[in-house]
Amino acid sequence: MRVIALRTLREYGERKPEASAALSSWYHETVAAEWKTPADIKEKYRSASILKNGRVVFNISGNKYRLIVGINYVLGIVFIKFIGTHAEYDKIDAEKVQHGKG
């Protein structure tokens, strides 16, 4: 999969060093993945929440952080929509957020 944009993850990891290793692991696992359906994601990430319109919410660092992505399965592209703490996630609409960091 191609992740758009690594920069967003890197910058968040610089602001929240305790999330950096988990975000890096997620990134490397995602780049190596070949997700064709939401079921492929659930095989690896059982706690991931599958939303409408190709959106997926990943729990990062034992659910301390939330990562929302949009996925185009045909093109193999993962778009970062949001990364933030669980508390910040609770304040947004995961199905509508376009791009943002908590």
Side-chain angles (χ1 to χ4, degrees):
M1 304 298 289
R2 182 172 171 218
V3 177
I4 309 290
L6 172 59
R7 179 179 172 189
T8 302
L9 296 178
R10 189 179 306 125
E11 287 175 355
Y12 193 83
E14 289 170 1
R15 287 185 15 233
K16 303 279 188 174
E18 65 278 8
S20 184
L23 289 171
S24 180
S25 291
W26 177 88
Y27 172 79
H28 290 291
E29 291 169 5
T30 300
V31 171
E34 293 184 23
W35 298 328
K36 301 295 183 197
T37 68
D40 294 338
I41 295 169
K42 291 295 274 185
E43 271 184 41
K44 173 77 177 163
Y45 299 99
R46 291 189 172 275
S47 66
S49 299
I50 307 299
L51 306 179
K52 294 187 276 186
N53 300 320
R55 292 214 174 190
V56 180
V57 180
F58 292 94
N59 299 320
I60 305 293
S61 287
N63 206 20
K64 185 173 181 184
Y65 300 95
R66 292 283 180 99
L67 173 64
I68 302 172
V69 302
I71 301 176
N72 182 317
Y73 294 97
V74 174
L75 298 177
I77 301 174
V78 177
F79 300 92
I80 304 297
K81 300 292 186 181
F82 172 87
I83 178 70
T85 65
H86 198 127
E88 291 164 338
Y89 169 85
D90 288 341
K91 296 176 185 174
I92 60 141
D93 183 338
E95 293 183 355
K96 293 183 180 175
V97 68
Q98 287 305 306
H99 177 75
K101 298 171 276 203

